[in-house]
Amino acid sequence: MSPLDWIVLVGTLTTIILYGVWKSRGQRNLESYFLDNKSMPWYIILLSIIGTQASAITFISAPGQAYTDGMRFVQYYFGLPLAMVVLCITFVPIFHKLKVYTAYEYLEQRFDLKTRTLASMLFLIQRGLSTGISICAPSIILSSLLGWNLYWTNMIMGGLLIIYTVVGGTRAVAYTQTFQLIIIFGGMFLAGWMVVHLLPPDIGFKQALQVSGKMDKLNVIVTKFDWKDKYNIWSGVIGGFFLALSYFGTDQSQVGRYLTAKSEKESRMGLLMNGLVKVPMQFLILLIGAMVFVFYLYFRAPIFFNEAQLARAHKTEQGPALLKLEDQYTELGKIKQQQVKQLAAALEAGNNAQADIAKKELQQTDVRSAAIRTEALSLIKASDPTADTSDTNYIFLHFVVNSLPKGLVGLLIAIIFLAAWGSIAAALNSLASTTVVDVYQRLYNANASPVHYLLVSRLWTLIWGVFCIVVAQFAGSLGSLIEVVNVLGSWFYGVILGIFLVAFYLKKVGGTATFWAAIISEIAVLVVYWTGAVSFLWLNAIGCLLVLLLAWVFHRFFEQKE
């Protein structure tokens, strides 16, 4: 990066840190540290919810996801608006009425201590692992830009985040997320505008959309039903509904955001607006990835987008063979440049027959390029058996660093850091609040002073931060991070949601039946996942419905006989 980029990057991040520390003044107890004394207006709640969900993974991996698989990933969010309505009707009034710090406090009042502890432990496991993966995302940027070792970069990034969160608490997280999102949305808009602006002069946004559509990258809605297909309208609306309902209704990283609201009405407004904003926001981020795909049809695309890993492979004995494959890949790239121009011209002229011929030729060349790329990946793996040969997370980053003007590169890198800090800080905050309120205060020390609990909260923020850094060390080789995080959440979210729905709607079912229903259902969900019987989004519906069914059965046959 240029000196101007570094100035923009460091200046933006420093401003955010100082703003967060200033906003976090006056914390004296758990309510001020975790709930900000319930003083947040709805628009801060909205931006905080979006900021918590839209991590660096969203802005790094989502465009790459669209580049490789098209825009069908957006269907993952189609169940979210309906979930927001259900939350506002059911979850929000109960949580506000009970004046809880965490969602899991309610479960002890409704069931018993073991059920509350089980739900909180399931949350802690999945959120701890997911947060570790989120730490890895900005570390990938630094390691790629500066050639740093990814493991040391994870430790540096994680350390900065721990300091930021330990000092700040909920108030710093929420208000800095608001500031961050303003910068993020502005920067992503500029990136989208630039990718179209950098195309050849005779190719505008309309022509880029037409080419992208012909190459099957605008596959926003897939109606074909297939249990194993990860992204279609059915898994998105049904599985996505259960996932969103659990994530926003039972995950403390999100519940903790709207529990800080001034009133129940403010919480509802924040959630409903999130339901309206999230799908268009994700659509536009994926659209940027589809436009980047078109960009690399017109200009040379690297055979592997992780340039640091590629450079290391060149220094091994596989280097000469890899270089030969790169030359072949470049030649095919030149052919694709001519073919895409023919496709665009046919589309502009409205000549569908010629457009279909050009499309077929371009796709055939693309298949040949993919075969050469596969050979190159094998060589990279041979040069370093520990290398991650999935470069989805590096596609958008490569475009930003190599194509955007000075200053804007620094801003886009800062945006990815800001997104990481906002979501990870909120996650660490929720991990600490659940540990202190649901485990430490409830099971070990119920009568300490407010100052003691505040200190313990900061300590547990530190402990969870260290745990997440350890997890981050293993996350770099997991492939598309945005998909990995959602798969991981789907292992647990359906079961946790099922526990809450039993609590809300099966009034006669007790804690013992619900506890064992949840244990068995969690095991079943993991078994179903490992068999590959269905795509991961369906795990949310399966886990939830299984808990409801088993809890009712256990109640009928065991609890009623007691």
Side-chain angles (χ1 to χ4, degrees):
M1 292 199 304
S2 69
L4 177 60
D5 290 316
W6 281 109
I7 291 171
V8 172
L9 174 61
V10 174
T12 303
L13 298 183
T14 302
T15 302
I16 286 291
I17 292 174
L18 294 176
Y19 180 72
V21 172
W22 177 68
K23 276 291 186 182
S24 64
R25 297 165 297 162
Q27 295 172 344
R28 297 182 179 86
N29 52 38
L30 284 180
E31 187 166 2
S32 60
Y33 190 68
F34 289 135
L35 300 182
D36 191 37
N37 300 309
K38 295 192 174 182
S39 61
M40 300 285 186
W42 71 266
Y43 55 88
I44 296 292
I45 301 295
L46 166 65
L47 294 174
S48 184
I49 288 171
I50 294 175
T52 300
Q53 187 182 23
S55 67
I57 292 173
T58 301
F59 300 103
I60 292 177
S61 191
Q65 184 81 15
Y67 182 100
T68 58
D69 191 41
M71 292 180 61
R72 65 196 189 110
F73 181 77
V74 76
Q75 296 168 111
Y76 167 85
Y77 297 94
F78 281 3
L80 188 145
L82 179 59
M84 296 302 99
V85 174
V86 174
L87 280 174
C88 290
I89 295 172
T90 56
F91 288 64
V92 172
I94 291 174
F95 290 153
H96 272 276
K97 180 180 178 181
L98 296 176
K99 294 180 169 56
V100 295
Y101 286 100
T102 74
Y104 317 109
E105 289 180 77
Y106 163 72
L107 295 178
E108 183 177 0
Q109 298 178 36
R110 170 62 178 84
F111 294 126
D112 51 34
L113 179 58
K114 67 178 182 293
T115 308
R116 171 187 179 177
T117 304
L118 173 64
S120 59
M121 292 306 294
L122 289 174
F123 161 73
L124 290 172
I125 293 169
Q126 79 83 17
R127 181 49 55 195
L129 294 174
S130 298
T131 305
I133 295 171
S134 297
I135 286 177
C136 187
S139 299
I140 284 173
I141 297 172
L142 273 182
S143 63
S144 179
L145 285 176
L146 304 177
W148 292 358
N149 180 281
L150 183 60
Y151 297 111
W152 283 106
T153 311
N154 280 327
M155 295 179 69
I156 294 170
M157 273 300 305
L160 290 172
L161 281 162
I162 289 170
I163 295 170
Y164 170 72
T165 312
V166 168
V167 172
T170 290
R171 185 175 182 83
V173 171
Y175 276 94
T176 53
Q177 281 175 333
T178 304
F179 193 9
Q180 289 163 4
L181 282 172
I182 293 171
I183 300 173
I184 287 170
F185 289 145
M188 292 303 287
F189 174 80
L190 283 174
W193 181 81
M194 284 300 302
V195 69
V196 176
H197 178 71
L198 292 171
L199 290 170
D202 58 333
I203 302 298
F205 181 62
K206 175 187 172 183
Q207 290 80 8
L209 278 179
Q210 290 175 327
V211 170
S212 184
K214 276 292 183 181
M215 295 303 291
D216 299 323
K217 297 303 177 181
L218 301 184
N219 51 345
V220 174
I221 296 178
V222 179
T223 57
K224 181 181 177 181
F225 184 85
D226 183 350
W227 285 105
K228 295 186 178 182
D229 183 17
K230 290 180 289 188
Y231 308 115
N232 58 56
I233 189 76
W234 310 106
S235 63
V237 172
I238 301 172
F241 167 76
F242 281 96
L243 177 58
L245 193 60
S246 184
Y247 178 52
F248 291 97
T250 71
D251 188 312
Q252 183 59 25
S253 67
Q254 285 292 350
V255 175
R257 306 279 67 79
Y258 58 80
L259 284 180
T260 61
K262 293 178 179 180
S263 65
E264 183 180 318
K265 179 182 177 182
E266 299 283 336
S267 289
R268 283 174 165 168
M269 281 289 293
L271 285 169
L272 290 173
M273 290 301 297
N274 177 58
L276 293 174
V277 169
K278 182 60 183 177
V279 176
M281 168 185 150
Q282 198 64 42
F283 176 90
L284 292 173
I285 293 171
L286 288 166
L287 183 60
I288 291 174
M291 293 297 99
V292 170
F293 173 82
V294 175
F295 176 87
Y296 281 118
L297 287 176
Y298 284 97
F299 301 98
R300 180 185 176 275
I303 198 168
F304 190 61
F305 283 94
N306 184 348
E307 292 184 311
Q309 185 68 58
L310 187 63
R312 288 193 290 270
H314 277 144
K315 297 176 182 178
T316 66
E317 61 183 15
Q318 276 76 30
L322 185 58
L323 200 59
K324 185 177 179 180
L325 288 175
E326 285 187 87
D327 289 339
Q328 296 176 25
Y329 193 82
T330 299
E331 288 304 311
L332 286 176
K334 292 177 181 178
I335 295 173
K336 285 198 288 186
Q337 289 171 11
Q338 296 303 316
Q339 291 173 336
V340 73
K341 290 177 182 177
Q342 293 170 5
L343 174 60
L347 290 170
E348 184 66 18
N351 190 334
N352 294 329
Q354 187 62 41
D356 289 339
I357 294 172
K359 172 189 174 180
K360 186 176 180 180
E361 292 176 348
L362 181 56
Q363 287 178 328
Q364 289 173 343
T365 308
D366 204 37
V367 169
R368 292 167 60 194
S369 296
I372 292 174
R373 174 178 149 86
T374 300
E375 290 184 53
L377 296 182
S378 299
L379 290 177
I380 292 171
K381 196 69 175 178
S383 70
D384 180 6
T386 64
D388 176 19
T389 54
S390 172
D391 59 351
T392 304
N393 301 314
Y394 294 86
I395 293 171
F396 183 59
L397 178 63
H398 183 276
F399 167 76
V400 167
V401 172
N402 292 280
S403 304
L404 296 187
K406 294 178 182 179
L408 188 55
V409 175
L411 178 62
L412 265 294
I413 300 300
I415 280 170
I416 296 171
F417 273 88
L418 294 178
W421 284 8
S423 63
I424 296 169
L428 291 178
N429 188 262
S430 67
L431 287 166
S433 65
T434 302
T435 304
V436 173
V437 174
D438 293 298
V439 181
Y440 178 78
Q441 187 179 40
R442 179 63 185 85
L443 299 177
Y444 297 102
N445 191 347
N447 299 306
S449 67
V451 174
H452 173 81
Y453 287 131
L454 179 60
L455 292 174
V456 171
S457 299
R458 295 186 191 277
L459 175 62
W460 271 105
T461 304
L462 172 62
I463 293 170
W464 276 111
V466 173
F467 172 83
C468 293
I469 291 173
V470 174
V471 173
Q473 308 294 24
F474 300 94
S477 59
L478 295 179
S480 174
L481 294 181
I482 193 166
E483 190 168 284
V484 172
V485 166
N486 290 314
V487 170
L488 182 59
S490 296
W491 290 354
F492 299 95
Y493 277 139
V495 173
I496 299 175
L497 176 61
I499 296 173
F500 276 87
L501 293 186
V502 171
F504 293 158
Y505 299 113
L506 301 183
K507 297 296 186 181
K508 294 182 179 180
V509 176
T512 300
T514 306
F515 177 84
W516 288 110
I519 292 287
I520 294 170
S521 299
E522 186 58 51
I523 295 171
V525 165
L526 295 175
V527 170
V528 170
Y529 173 77
W530 290 115
T531 61
V534 299
S535 68
F536 73 88
L537 273 175
W538 290 109
L539 298 177
N540 299 281
I542 290 170
C544 177
L545 297 175
L546 201 54
V547 171
L548 288 167
L549 175 62
L550 292 178
W552 180 80
V553 170
F554 291 165
H555 166 71
R556 295 275 296 179
F557 285 93
F558 300 109
E559 288 185 338
Q560 284 190 347
K561 296 178 182 180
E562 295 177 358

